[in-house]
Amino acid sequence: MRKLLNGGLLLIIALLLTGCAENKAKLTITPYTMSEKELELMSKTDVEKIDFFHLNGSLGKDQDIQFSVEVYKNGELAGELLRTHSEIKTEFDDTLISFAIERLEEEEQRVLKLIAGIPSGKVTTNYDNTMTATTSTSLIKEKVQLELGKPIYLSAWAGTTKNEFEVIGSWNGSFPKGMEDKELAFLYKMVWTNDEKE
């Protein structure tokens, strides 16, 4: 009987320790504000807009962070670009991530280069652009704690061929307001997930 009690006690302690370890998994994202010197340096590049963020925390066992850029046309989701994950990294200490748009001219064709900075480096793709007016913004203004399985939107870019349109708005990383009238928009998104890496 005593052996059975000791074995049961050890099992309970092991389960509690496992639960505590999983509860330590926590991730936060904070906007990074560039200094005047950094802004001046960025103005010497062809990058139209860039937003930087600090990622902090750690992943639990079998967890991952997925990054992507959602594409919206006329307010409707039209696809997803630059989908990737956090690779093998599980600890983040002021790890920089970013989203940038660069204008390119290729044989009299206007092209946007989308650049997503992720913990392991960066991913890029080109996208044809016929927009005549654009706006872009960071979608978080203060530290936000991620929730498992809930997308957080970090940055947005939108364009139009019309004379005017409303800006995109969000302060806490939720899906932004004002997307319904956008001819073309890109949303840089991340999701903390239990899903296996693809």
Side-chain angles (χ1 to χ4, degrees), residues 91-105:
E91 298 285 332
F92 307 96
D93 184 14
D94 279 347
T95 301
L96 273 177
I97 59 174
S98 62
F99 180 64
I101 300 279
E102 182 180 347
R103 289 178 186 259
L104 302 173
E105 300 289 336

Side-chain angles (χ1 to χ4, degrees), residues 16-36:
L16 284 173
L17 290 175
T18 302
C20 289
E22 288 183 3
N23 287 338
K24 287 184 181 177
K26 178 181 174 184
L27 293 169
T28 60
I29 191 84
T30 310
Y32 173 81
T33 304
M34 286 190 282
S35 67
E36 287 185 25

Side-chain angles (χ1 to χ4, degrees), residues 8-19:
L9 217 90
L10 287 173
L11 181 62
I12 290 171
I13 290 171
L15 289 172
L16 284 173
L17 290 175
T18 302

Side-chain angles (χ1 to χ4, degrees), residues 3-4 13 27 32 35 40 43 49-50 54 59 68 70 77 87 91 94-95 101 106 136-137 139 152 155 175 178 182:
K3 286 183 180 179
L4 183 61
I13 290 171
L27 293 169
Y32 173 81
S35 67
E40 183 182 349
S43 72
K49 170 70 173 169
I50 188 165
H54 275 147
L59 296 174
S68 66
E70 291 182 344
L77 180 63
E87 301 293 339
E91 298 285 332
D94 279 347
T95 301
I101 300 279
E106 292 185 357
S136 57
T137 187
L139 297 176
I152 182 167
S155 187
F175 187 83
K182 301 301 179 283

Side-chain angles (χ1 to χ4, degrees), residues 144-156:
V144 175
Q145 184 167 325
L146 276 72
E147 296 177 34
L148 194 61
K150 181 180 178 183
I152 182 167
Y153 294 90
L154 303 175
S155 187

